[in-house]
Amino acid sequence: MSAEQVPALSSDVRRRIVEHLNVIADHAAPSAQVGRSAAELAAYLGLHVTTVRFHLDQLVTGGYLVTAFERTPRVGRPRKLYAAPRLDAGTEAETQKHYQVLAALLAQS
């Protein structure tokens, strides 16, 4: 299934957001904070923060991103952070096993 067939990923902006957050998650230490705010993502993409929030909402609704709130001792609302979902070790091993079975089936055909 191509990106154009998945409505949430039909936008170049949304694909860039997911790709960027996946790269951050892949290179981060397991205990590190990997989320980025809408403002940080807007600066990275060179777009207005309202535009980026629209795309982020679409990605969260589609299950491509997760959100968390950063609590700080400062006054004001906590920052809403967006991140690519992380797989735990068991889920990742299970996913690898499925890919190996798929690869074997494709090699046989």
Side-chain angles (χ1 to χ4, degrees), residues 25-108:
D26 288 345
H27 291 88
S31 62
Q33 176 184 338
V34 295
R36 295 293 183 261
S37 69
E40 290 170 326
L41 291 166
Y44 169 75
L45 296 166
L47 297 171
H48 193 275
V49 70
T50 305
T51 302
V52 172
R53 279 193 189 111
F54 167 78
H55 290 291
L56 290 168
D57 289 342
Q58 298 293 315
L59 291 167
V60 169
T61 300
Y64 296 98
L65 298 180
V66 294
T67 61
F69 289 95
E70 178 185 54
R71 306 239 182 250
T72 63
R74 297 181 308 206
V75 176
R77 284 191 319 193
R79 284 190 333 152
K80 187 175 187 179
L81 302 176
Y82 299 86
R86 284 189 168 187
L87 298 176
D88 61 10
T91 306
E92 195 166 341
E94 185 70 21
T95 302
Q96 286 296 335
K97 187 171 82 172
H98 288 290
Y99 281 127
Q100 289 171 351
V101 169
L102 178 61
L105 289 171
L106 289 172
Q108 288 177 353

